[in-house]
Structure formats: C-alpha cells, structure tokens
Amino acid sequence: MIKLSTKGRYGTRLMINLAGHFKAGQDAVILKNISDEEDISIRYLEQIIIPLKIAKLVKSIRGAGGGYTLARSPSKIRLCEILEVLEGSCCLVECVDDSDFCRRTDSCAAHEIWAEASRVLKDYFDQFTLQDLLSIQEKKKAQARSHGSLRPAGRTSCGQAHRRRASGAH
Amino acid sequence: MIKLSTKGRYGTRLMINLAGHFKAGQDAVILKNISDEEDISIRYLEQIIIPLKIAKLVKSIRGAGGGYTLARSPSKIRLCEILEVLEGSCCLVECVDDSDFCRRTDSCAAHEIWAEASRVLKDYFDQFTLQDLLSIQEKKKAQARSHGSLRPAGRTSCGQAHRRRASGAH
DNA sequence: GGAATTTCAACACAATTTTATATGATTACT
DNA sequence: AGTAATCATATAAAATTGTGTTGAAATTCC
Ligand code: FES
Ligand code: FES
C-alpha cells in the first residue's frame, strides 16, 4: 500500500486540531479534548505527541490547567516536518537515507527510483503549512454546509481504524 | 516512514530480474535462480509471485524445465502495475480509495492532501516500464565498472532486511 | 512407464513492528 | 491537601515479514 502509518495520520490531525485552537487564541489544549474531537484514544495520543514535543513542534504545560500548544504559529510549521518526526523520514525505503542498508546500490535500478520518488513526495508535503491545512479545512466545512450534504453520523474521522471489531469482548 | 513494503521492493527486483532474463532470450527462469541472484528466500518469492501471476504480469510453466517468465515484454509493463498488484494500490491512506473508510471526509483537510500525494506518487511510478529499469541498471553497472568503485562484498542487495540478527540460533 | 524437476497449495510457526490500551507516578495549579 | 494534567512504563492484539514442512500436480527426460 505504501501506507502512511497511523502515527503520521493521527499526528497530522492532532496538529491540525492544535492549530485550530492556536488560532482561536487558546494557549493550552488538553489531550482529552483532542481525543473527543478527533475520536482518537488518549493513550495513543500521548504516545504520538512525545516525538512532536521532542522535535519542539509542540510545547507541554504540566499540571492542572496545563495541556499542549503549538510551539510556533501554524504558518511556521510545515506538514513535512510533522511527517518526518512521526514517520522517521519521508523515505520510501531505508537505503535512501542509510546507504549502508543495502549493498549493491551500484547496480540497483530500483534504488534510483525509490530515492527520486521519496524526493517527489517530500517536495509535495513541503508545500503545505498547518495554516494551509486550516484554510483547506474551513473551505471544506463551508462547502459542506452550503451544499447541505451533511453526512448521517459524522462522528468518526480520517484514518480511524476501528472498523472490523469482530473479536468480541476483550 | 511511509515505507514501501518488502513485497513491493522484493517484487520489483523479482520483475527486474525476470526482465533481464527475458531480454536474454530465456523463456523460463526458476525461482531458485532468482533466489540466488537476488538473495531473497524462495519461500517468500513463492508468496510474492502469486499475485503477479494472478494479475497476468508473469506466466508460469510447470514441470521440469519450467519456471516463470514475463507475460509481456519489459517495455509493456509499468512499475505502477507491479506496485499496485503487490501493495494493493498506491494510495497512502485507505480513505482515498475507499470513501467509506472514514466519515467526516467533508471537513478533513488531510484527506485532500493524502489523495493528491497518492496521485503524485502514482504518476511518478507510472513513468517507468521494466525496460526503463533495465536500462538504468545497465547504465549503473557500466558506471560502476568504469569507475572502479567496486564494493567489497556485493553479495546482498536492496531491500534486504537481514541486518540485525542478534537473536542467535533459531 | 518411471524418475526427476518444477510449480502449486495448504498449512504451521516465529520474530518483529505496528497499533493500540492500562496503570500508575510526577508535576503544578488552586 | 486535592485535583488535573502530563509523563513513563508495561502489556496486549494484530499485521508484517519471513521460514519450514508436507505433499499434490504437471511436465520433461530417460
Ligand atoms: S477523512 Fe480520511 S484522511 Fe481524513
Ligand atoms: S539498493 Fe536499496 S533499493 Fe536496491
């Protein structure tokens, strides 16, 4: 699938959410809040936000009245930064970053392709800041409203994996 | 990482290998051969080649003297086809293909981005045929020879995962 | 016809990574 | 002190990434 991991997907939504609150003037949002709004488990959000904090994309405020907030304004944070922090890098294969990963790169045609594809993808993600994503979101919301095409439930959201839940009680 | 799975990587190398033999006029290559040349387990190759056969990208010939061969000439097989067969699709997230996967796509900014990024990536992979990859490979080999920059071992190859093998005998 | 070679099918198994959930300690505000 | 929040581990379920085995079916060669 060449799939984006859930960390990348959830993390992006987490950051978009924080960006929204940032714009609204709030300075600390608690994870419970984000968890409710985005329908992602708090426990998982706690794990996802750690690398974002280490990378100084978000700031944490401990104790009562604390929470998280963006470390910079949404227009100063690029999607590419978020993904690199959460996915390790935007590289499609290890040997693009780590030349020791596979020998025979001298004769491997695929290596060229993966490397260039990684660059193409990175360049694409580098175009967008959180501010851009916020703008897209607002435009979409306005469109959905005017269009009157409200989805029935609208509870869960992108990247959500709680679909096949056949395993019963656990 | 937005990583390409091993199936995509190994499968691409498998196809490049078949393409090489196809060009050389051989009409059936046995997996043992590919396994030795590419340093990928036969058992795993057997699993990987099944979808390629179903998708009619390779033909199988049973019995003694049999093996596998490309179903079409290398110039008629695009990298994108191979990856779509092995990775399910080139989509970065499920909701791009499956609109039921996540609700709230109406207001999800990320959805737009993932969808467009998937298209960018697919377009990139669509550029190359197996013939192109063969040409790249030959050019690289020639370069490596003339350059005299032979790597010490040169045994294993791209996408190979046999690195940290600390778990002892098994 | 029989032996050898090869794909094909169906499992069982294990290591690792991904994807989460659970529990409790730590910090800071009131 | 009490509460609200982050922070730190531990654990578990599931998917990915393989390897191993056993045999059946098809085809070639002798
Ligand atoms: S709706 Fe699927 S990514 Fe957000
Ligand atoms: S050398 Fe790493 S992909 Fe081939």
Side-chain angles (χ1 to χ4, degrees), chain A residues 49-80:
Chain A
I49 210 163
I50 292 172
L52 292 169
K53 197 184 55 181
I54 292 172
K56 299 242 166 70
L57 294 180
V58 306
K59 277 188 303 191
S60 68
I61 299 156
R62 300 185 66 165
Y68 291 95
T69 181
L70 292 185
R72 288 174 261 153
S73 103
S75 62
K76 300 286 185 192
I77 297 179
R78 302 197 159 271
L79 176 54
C80 194

Side-chain angles (χ1 to χ4, degrees), chain A residues 121-152:
Chain A
L121 206 54
K122 179 175 154 55
D123 283 353
Y124 179 76
F125 289 135
D126 208 37
Q127 287 182 274
F128 304 99
T129 66
L130 275 180
Q131 178 59 56
D132 296 327
L133 296 181
L134 270 185
S135 304
I136 292 174
Q137 191 176 62
E138 274 180 38
K139 202 193 308 178
K140 289 191 79 170
K141 277 183 179 170
Q143 247 171 28
R145 263 196 303 273
S146 75
H147 231 273
S149 69
L150 283 173
R151 294 291 183 92

Side-chain angles (χ1 to χ4, degrees), chain A residues 106, chain B residues 137-150:
Chain A
D106 284 342
Chain B
Q137 191 176 61
E138 273 178 38
K139 201 194 305 176
K140 290 191 77 169
K141 277 184 178 168
Q143 246 172 28
R145 263 197 301 274
S146 75
H147 229 273
S149 69
L150 284 173

Side-chain angles (χ1 to χ4, degrees), chain A residues 18-149:
Chain A
L18 279 179
H21 289 292
F22 187 94
K23 279 295 179 183
Q26 283 183 259
D27 45 22
V29 186
I30 63 173
L31 286 186
K32 177 73 172 62
N33 209 322
I34 299 174
S35 169
D36 289 344
E37 287 179 11
E38 303 289 339
D39 213 28
I40 303 170
S41 137
I42 290 191
R43 307 302 171 195
Y44 205 28
L45 283 177
E46 282 177 340
Q47 284 182 47
I48 291 170
I49 210 163
I50 292 172
L52 292 169
K53 197 184 55 181
I54 292 172
K56 299 242 166 70
L57 294 180
V58 306
K59 277 188 303 191
S60 68
I61 299 156
R62 300 185 66 165
Y68 291 95
T69 181
L70 292 185
R72 288 174 261 153
S73 103
S75 62
K76 300 286 185 192
I77 297 179
R78 302 197 159 271
L79 176 54
C80 194
E81 294 180 86
I82 300 170
L83 293 178
E84 280 189 351
V85 163
L86 293 172
E87 306 276 345
S89 93
C90 285
C91 280
L92 290 175
V93 297
E94 282 89 344
C95 62
V96 171
D97 270 348
D98 176 9
S99 56
D100 286 339
F101 186 78
C102 37
R103 282 166 279 182
R104 205 195 284 183
T105 46
D106 284 342
S107 61
C108 176
H111 184 269
E112 304 287 285
I113 306 294
W114 309 144
E116 181 65 9
S118 301
R119 207 186 56 75
V120 166
L121 206 54
K122 179 175 154 55
D123 283 353
Y124 179 76
F125 289 135
D126 208 37
Q127 287 182 274
F128 304 99
T129 66
L130 275 180
Q131 178 59 56
D132 296 327
L133 296 181
L134 270 185
S135 304
I136 292 174
Q137 191 176 62
E138 274 180 38
K139 202 193 308 178
K140 289 191 79 170
K141 277 183 179 170
Q143 247 171 28
R145 263 196 303 273
S146 75
H147 231 273
S149 69

Side-chain angles (χ1 to χ4, degrees), chain A residues 158-159, chain B residues 95 102 105 108 111 114:
Chain A
C158 63
Chain B
C95 62
C102 36
T105 46
C108 176
H111 184 270
W114 308 145

Side-chain angles (χ1 to χ4, degrees), chain B residues 34-70:
Chain B
I34 299 175
S35 169
D36 288 344
E37 287 179 12
E38 302 291 339
D39 213 28
I40 303 170
S41 138
I42 291 190
R43 307 299 171 200
Y44 207 28
L45 282 176
E46 281 177 343
Q47 289 179 46
I48 291 170
I49 211 164
I50 291 173
L52 292 170
K53 198 185 55 182
I54 291 173
K56 298 241 167 69
L57 294 179
V58 306
K59 276 188 303 191
S60 67
I61 299 156
R62 299 183 68 164
Y68 291 95
T69 182
L70 293 186

